[in-house]
Structure formats: C-alpha cells, structure tokens
Amino acid sequence: MIHFIDTEISKVLNYFADKKILMVDSETDGAFDFNNKIILLQLGDRENQFVIDVRKVDIKGLRSLFLSDKIKIFHNAKFDVKFLWLHGLDINNVYDTLLAERLLNAGCERPKGYYALDRLAKYYADGYLDKSVRVTINRKNINQKTIQYAADDVKYLMDIRDKQIKRLVKLGMSNGDCQDITTVLGLENKSMLAFAAMEYNGIKLDKDKYQKVIDLIDENLDKVMQDLDDIICHEPVFERYCVYYQDLFTSAKKVANVNWNSPIQKLDVLQHMDSTIQSTSAAELLNFKKYDIVNKLMEYNKYSKLKNSFGENMFEFINPVTNRVHTEFWQILDTGRVSCKNPNMQQIPARTDIGGMMRECFVPEQGYKIVGGDYSGCELRIIAEFSQDPVWVNAFKDGKDLHSELCAMTFNIDIKDVKTPTPFKPDIKYRDVQKTLNFGLAYGMSHIKLANTIDISEDEAQSIIKKFFTAVPKVERFLEALGNRGKERGIIKTPPPYGRIRFFEDYKHADNKRKGAIERASKNHPIQGGNADMTKLALIYIYDYIKDKPIKLIHTVHDEIQTEVPDYMADEWAVKMSELMNQAAAQILKNVPMVVDCAVNDYWSK
DNA sequence: ATGGGCCGCCC
DNA sequence: GTACGGGCGGCCCATC
C-alpha cells in the first residue's frame, strides 16, 4: 500500500519503529551539484511504501531512523546519501544493491543498463519499473503517477537484497551480515560512505597557482613549436611538409604544415626521414634520440599532453558553490579498485617537474593542512606475505630495500653496486632493471615485454628473469599457482579475510590472446585487489574515527588516502592516521610489516 | 554525432 | 602473430 506523506512524518516513524530493515530512495530535481534538492523521499518495506513530499515536510525528523541500527537498502546509495547530507541528515548501516551486484559480476562483460534498478527488479523480483516517468518528475509536477513510480522504486529492493545475499554467501563474500567489515560485502557497504564523503568534500584547486603552471607549459609549447617549424623548414628532407603562411599584417613566413597532434601525420614525417621508426609513442621515440626532430617531438608530446588533459579545462570542474573540485568515484572495478572521473583525480600529473607543480596546486583551505598517507610498496608486501619467500619477507621485516636486495641476487653483484650501469645497457642502472622486473612480474610480464621496456635482447631478458626466479623460487611458484587457479576454476580471489572474486569466462573456449590475459589477470587480481581491500578498510577506520572531528576525507588513489585538517591538529592526526592505516593493513598482512608514509603539507604531495 | 585507435597520465 | 595488471580521457579520423 502506498502512503503519500505531505504533512508530518510521525506515521512513518511509528511504522518503522519495530522493523529491522527498510528500503530507501529519493527523487531529486537533478544531479547532485550543491544547488539541487530532494523532491520525494521514499521509505518502505514489501507491504507499505511511504512517499514523503520533501517540498512540504521537514525530513530532519528522520534523523534517528537513519542513524538507528536498522538496515537501510538503497540502489546506488552514494547518490542519495550526498543529498541527505545536503538536507542535514546523516545515515549509517546501508546496504547498496548496486555495489552487491558489482561484486557478483566483477570481471564479467555486461551490457549497458545491466546494473540499473529496473534490470535488477526484473531479474530478482520479476518486477516492472517504468523508468519513463522519472524524467517527468520535477518540483511542480507531483501527481498520482509520479507517486506510484516513486513507491515502485523502493518496492523491490528487499527481494533484490535477499537474493543477492544468498549468492554472495555462497561465494564467500558475505556471511549474511551486510555490515560486517571482515567480509567484502560489508567492506563495500561501509566504505561507500567514505567515497560519498570524498565526493561531497572535494578538493580546493588554487586557480592562480594553477594558471601560472599552465602559462609555463604554454611558454614551453610555443618554444618547441617554433623549433619544430625551424627544423621542418630548414632541413631539405622535410621540404614537402613546409608551406608559406601569410596573414594581413606580416610578411610571408615558412611554417610546418603538420598537425603535431595527429599520430598519422607525425609518423609520416618521421618515416620520411627514417623508415625504421615504427610509431610515435614515447617508448619508440626514445630509440631515435639522435635526431633533433625526435627530441623536439618528445617535448611537444609531453607539454601538449599536460596542456590538453590538465590545462584550463580543469577550471570547469570547480564547483561555483563550494569553490572546490568534486570528482565522482566508481567504487568497484574488476579487481576491487576504485576509479574516478569528471575529473579523473587519480591521474593528476605527479612524476615530472611540471607534473609535480600541478599536483601542488591542490591545496587546503586557509588554516588547514593536507595530511596524506600512503602504503609503501603495498603490492610487493602482499607478494611477500602470500608467497612466503624468505628473501622478500625478510627484506620487509628488516626494513631493507627490496629492490636492491633482489638486484644483488639477480645480477650476482655486490649490494653496493646496484646503482651502477648495466653492461648490456649503459644508460640503465641494475636496480632500475630490477624495479621493472619486480613490478612487471605482478602483472605477468613476459620476457619479450621486459626486453622491449628496457631495450635489451629477448635472450638477455629471458636469462635475467631465469636468474631472478632462481633467487626467489617461492615467488615464481606463487605467481604460477595463481595463474593456474584462474584458468582452472574460472574465478580468482583476493587474500583472506576478504576473498573478493573476479570472474573469468571459460578458459577452454577463449582464444590464445584471451587465454594469456586470463592468466595474467589471475596473477594480478589477488595483489591489486588485496591492496584495494586494504585501502577500503583504512577508509572505513578513518571515516569512523573522524566523525565528530573537524577532519575531512578528501581523496584516495589506490594505496593513498588524503585528508584535510585544521593546522593545530595536523601533526597529531598524521600519527593517528598512519596508525589506522597500519591497523587496516594488519588485517591482511599477518607476517609482513607495513610502512605507512604520512605527510603534513600545504598542498597535495606525492 | 559516434566510436575505434593511438597515445599518455595515474597507481 | 599476441603477450604488462587496473583505470580515464584527449585527439584524430573514418563512418554514419
């Protein structure tokens, strides 16, 4: 039965007083942007649905209900939770049918709309939702039809949840308690609030500082384009790419008639000079640094990338109400990692000089600091823990540098010499080869790829890998076992206690390319996904700890968490934060210690 | 307009 | 002939 509530909400509170679980949804007057509001708020169970007209009713009275230990079922809760916060309401004990469905389908290719509520309603509850009504809902248009639609939206959530949990329990991703953070389901439901908080809080971008970096990029870009023009117009070999350009005010001048953003045109120019150049990628160009034009093109590529991907367009993401940048998180990728977009705050430059300058433009408010923590060598520690290789385990236990230790063994050299150049490639140091190897093996890197990456012969690469695995046989066996498991069982899990599953299609019927990909993803998933589990648990610990404190969660990048905190408590918080992150790590790493690098800064540092 | 391919930024 | 895991996104260019 549907109840339309447009006066007061005691009826709702009374109804749910002795219920353990309720389903919630909201209809808003648009996407979340700090100006929009909730129009209708629906609460219900299988028998009764209450549709509250938020234009007329003060929903603050629902505070105790939302903070009670009753389970609140949502579909895509992050969306509604942010709106509730905007209306001054907090919430906990949420079950999210979208997150649950993602857990049940990680790794599977699914058609568009697969995770939509109407699909779930049909699949799990044989219910029908008429989504065409949604577009007609607005502040001035609440009628019988929209109320019916709004009520329907919550009607099936209970059945969906019941059946999802059955499946998740069978797969070991839940024990039936959807809030238990020792299970994947609980991990996701709980950390959802942290992701909602990071979206809600956003990060401040210092516009003036950022503009200065863009100006610097522009200067470099102008210079390098001038140089490219000079080369094209003065070297006879490029004559055909040169044209005269004349405007009304200046005399004719020779310029390059090439769009340097076009890989096809770029390659054409380069091959005209040297037909052995295969592509315009940075890796390929590195081999042809003897040509001036190649050096200039590499510079051009670098600056135009920064300009096009991270230039003025970033300003469009500054919200006019909060004056901050609010990214959107997608909480469950195939491995359990998180992505974000609009903008993608996980790909803000950090590595190069100018990249570092761009990242430093993300700053705290006046009187605040940014306190960030990251898990040092997280994936390598996970490999150590679960391979139980003594070299790896002891390196971390003794606080030694794993790359150097392994390097000495792989190349039979003294540990003092790991930073000397290799004989087979003088511009690369031993330790750098080892680093490529250590990270690459977690991805199932082949000797061919290693050979290409550091530009050595395939035979040399093969023998390096062989010697490496001879030194650490348990790591080799560990990775092999993971690869085989994915192939044989069609699923692979992250380490205990989580066991987050990634599903694969049938190995036998895959083509060779796909077979290789399944094997490599099987090796990688427990490592990458284990890292993701750990970071999500840390987010939960932090979210719970900072509740009622003036500390804000603002960002996360896989093995890194950023917070914004008043000056006076920054140092103290940094200590506590690394303690919380270590606590989370200790739930997964039982034998290998974790190191959390925590820093207090006036900007987002890396 | 749309989508695939290439390329490059992040961990 | 493919073979480095997980992403997002800008640009070019062919196609509709």
Side-chain angles (χ1 to χ4, degrees):
Chain A
M1 188 179 174
I2 296 172
H3 311 263
F4 186 59
I5 307 292
D6 61 355
T7 49
E8 43 96 36
I9 54 171
S10 56
K11 189 174 166 187
V12 182
L13 294 172
N14 290 339
Y15 181 77
F16 289 109
D18 62 345
K19 303 283 192 292
K20 286 199 163 59
I21 189 159
L22 58 148
M23 315 182 278
V24 191
D25 190 24
S26 60
E27 306 305 325
T28 67
D29 59 1
F32 186 84
D33 72 352
F34 292 94
N35 271 319
N36 291 326
K37 290 277 162 136
I38 301 174
I39 302 173
L40 298 177
L41 183 62
Q42 307 94 277
L43 290 81
D45 61 12
R46 284 192 184 87
E47 291 76 35
N48 290 281
Q49 295 88 42
F50 300 85
V51 178
I52 303 171
D53 187 341
V54 181
R55 298 168 306 171
K56 298 179 182 155
V57 178
D58 183 6
I59 54 174
K60 290 230 174 62
L62 297 171
R63 179 183 307 273
S64 60
L65 181 62
F66 281 154
L67 287 175
S68 68
D69 55 9
K70 302 176 198 302
I71 299 296
K72 276 73 68 175
I73 313 176
F74 288 80
H75 185 73
N76 191 16
K78 188 155 61 63
F79 178 87
D80 304 274
V81 166
K82 288 196 293 177
F83 271 99
L84 290 176
W85 284 340
L86 205 54
H87 284 257
L89 280 169
D90 198 9
I91 192 161
N92 61 17
N93 296 335
V94 171
Y95 176 97
D96 189 332
T97 52
L98 172 62
L99 295 177
E101 196 62 19
R102 274 297 298 153
L103 289 178
L104 290 164
N105 291 277
C108 308
E109 252 185 67
R110 295 302 184 206
K112 204 166 149 48
Y114 187 85
Y115 297 101
L117 182 55
D118 52 353
R119 207 281 304 178
L120 297 190
K122 186 154 174 29
Y123 177 78
Y124 286 105
D126 200 27
Y128 173 70
L129 299 179
D130 182 7
K131 283 293 165 187
S132 65
V133 179
R134 169 170 285 178
V135 294
T136 69
I137 294 184
N138 62 55
R139 301 204 137 265
K140 297 184 191 118
N141 176 22
I142 302 300
N143 53 41
Q144 208 49 48
K145 206 176 167 191
T146 54
I147 292 166
Q148 172 78 42
Y149 161 82
D152 280 355
D153 244 11
V154 296
K155 202 159 87 183
Y156 304 108
L157 289 172
M158 208 94 97
D159 289 329
I160 296 171
R161 169 187 177 271
D162 288 350
K163 291 180 181 166
Q164 283 178 329
I165 286 192
K166 278 205 185 87
R167 294 176 66 192
L168 288 163
V169 168
K170 201 178 274 183
L171 291 163
M173 290 195 277
S174 169
N175 54 16
D177 174 359
C178 67
Q179 297 294 299
D180 184 343
I181 57 170
T182 66
T183 70
V184 193
L185 180 63
L187 195 67
E188 296 298 352
N189 280 332
K190 285 272 199 183
S191 64
M192 176 277 298
L193 291 170
F195 292 106
M198 290 184 285
E199 289 185 6
Y200 193 90
N201 293 334
I203 305 185
K204 184 178 174 186
L205 174 60
D206 184 330
K207 227 175 151 176
D208 294 340
K209 202 169 161 188
Y210 202 74
Q211 186 59 56
K212 288 199 180 98
V213 182
I214 295 173
D215 292 344
L216 178 62
I217 295 169
D218 283 340
E219 271 173 43
N220 285 308
L221 213 44
D222 284 349
K223 217 181 299 167
V224 75
M225 280 175 77
Q226 182 64 54
D227 291 344
L228 281 168
D229 273 337
D230 286 349
I231 294 172
I232 292 297
C233 297
H234 291 109
E235 292 187 16
V237 65
F238 297 125
E239 179 64 32
R240 60 191 301 191
Y241 300 105
C242 185
V243 294
Y244 283 92
Y245 167 81
Q246 172 139 43
D247 61 29
L248 289 170
F249 309 105
T250 58
S251 56
K253 65 177 182 183
K254 274 169 111 180
V255 293
N257 185 28
V258 180
N259 180 351
W260 298 115
N261 290 326
S262 164
I264 292 174
Q265 294 185 36
K266 250 189 307 205
L267 189 58
D268 189 67
V269 173
L270 290 177
Q271 288 186 332
H272 198 68
M273 169 186 72
D274 183 334
S275 60
T276 66
I277 298 179
Q278 301 286 322
S279 87
T280 58
S281 70
E284 173 75 353
L285 294 186
L286 223 44
N287 300 322
F288 297 93
K289 288 176 74 170
K290 58 183 172 185
Y291 301 116
D292 278 351
I293 190 167
V294 168
N295 286 302
K296 291 297 169 194
L297 263 182
M298 286 170 68
E299 253 187 90
Y300 176 85
N301 292 343
K302 189 176 78 184
Y303 292 127
S304 64
K305 169 69 180 187
L306 292 176
K307 168 85 175 166
N308 292 331
S309 293
F310 308 102
E312 281 90 346
N313 54 358
M314 196 58 72
F315 295 140
E316 288 165 28
F317 291 109
I318 297 176
N319 183 285
V321 177
T322 64
N323 213 20
R324 293 166 73 97
V325 176
H326 303 265
T327 191
E328 302 163 25
F329 285 101
W330 176 245
Q331 197 177 319
I332 309 180
L333 300 169
D334 289 347
T335 60
R337 265 200 186 179
V338 173
S339 72
C340 65
K341 59 179 185 175
N342 299 328
N344 182 347
M345 288 298 294
Q346 293 179 328
Q347 62 174 182
I348 302 298
R351 288 170 184 175
T352 61
D353 288 353
I354 290 187
M357 292 167 70
M358 297 182 104
R359 196 165 276 220
E360 290 184 8
C361 294
F362 291 91
V363 296
E365 298 289 343
Q366 194 73 39
Y368 286 73
K369 296 280 185 196
I370 288 184
V371 177
D374 69 84
Y375 286 125
S376 158
C378 187
E379 297 197 346
L380 298 176
R381 288 175 201 269
I382 291 172
I383 293 173
E385 171 81 22
F386 297 102
S387 71
Q388 298 182 49
D389 186 279
V391 178
W392 286 52
V393 172
N394 290 331
F396 287 125
K397 277 192 174 165
D398 302 341
K400 290 189 204 143
D401 176 43
L402 179 68
H403 297 309
S404 298
E405 296 287 316
L406 292 172
C407 182
M409 298 174 78
T410 302
F411 296 102
N412 282 329
I413 56 175
D414 197 283
I415 197 146
K416 291 195 301 293
D417 298 327
V418 296
K419 288 184 180 168
T420 59
T422 54
F424 46 86
K425 189 73 186 172
D427 51 337
I428 300 184
K429 298 179 183 98
Y430 280 113
R431 190 173 172 283
D432 294 330
V433 178
Q434 188 66 47
K435 269 177 82 171
T436 303
L437 204 51
N438 290 351
F439 289 115
L441 70 89
Y443 307 146
M445 185 193 239
S446 69
H447 68 282
I448 297 170
K449 182 65 188 180
L450 177 64
N452 291 338
T453 304
I454 54 179
D455 190 31
I456 57 177
S457 76
E458 290 183 14
D459 286 348
E460 275 170 324
Q462 187 71 278
S463 92
I464 289 174
I465 292 174
K466 203 175 157 199
K467 277 170 83 178
F468 170 61
F469 278 135
T470 306
V472 290
K474 283 199 155 185
V475 172
E476 182 176 31
R477 282 208 295 276
F478 169 65
L479 291 169
E480 240 178 55
L482 290 182
N484 289 335
R485 187 171 304 184
K487 284 196 269 190
E488 288 157 13
R489 303 188 190 178
I491 64 168
I492 192 78
K493 297 182 179 185
T494 59
Y498 292 110
R500 173 195 300 279
I501 296 177
R502 178 176 181 159
F503 300 88
F504 297 112
E505 72 275 28
D506 188 11
Y507 185 80
K508 289 191 294 293
H509 295 106
D511 61 29
N512 284 342
K513 186 177 172 185
R514 187 59 202 151
K515 278 181 174 161
I518 289 172
E519 188 175 339
R520 291 190 298 278
S522 297
K523 291 177 179 176
N524 181 250
H525 172 86
I527 302 165
Q528 185 178 122
N531 181 352
D533 293 341
M534 190 187 296
T535 302
K536 284 175 174 174
L537 183 60
L539 284 167
I540 293 169
Y541 287 166
I542 290 171
Y543 182 87
D544 284 344
Y545 182 83
I546 67 180
K547 196 173 293 172
D548 312 321
K549 295 187 184 65
I551 306 169
K552 282 179 178 159
L553 269 168
I554 57 171
H555 196 31
T556 181
V557 191
H558 310 308
D559 58 6
E560 165 194 349
I561 296 170
Q562 300 292 334
T563 62
E564 191 170 334
V565 45
D567 286 331
Y568 69 89
M569 59 190 297
D571 291 329
E572 182 194 338
W573 165 237
V575 173
K576 186 66 197 176
M577 183 176 171
S578 69
E579 196 182 308
L580 293 170
M581 288 180 73
N582 269 315
Q583 254 173 51
Q587 303 308 308
I588 293 171
L589 303 180
K590 305 289 184 186
N591 295 305
V592 173
M594 176 51 78
V595 169
V596 176
D597 293 328
C598 242
V600 179
N601 275 301
D602 292 314
Y603 45 80
W604 176 20
S605 76
K606 190 51 203 158

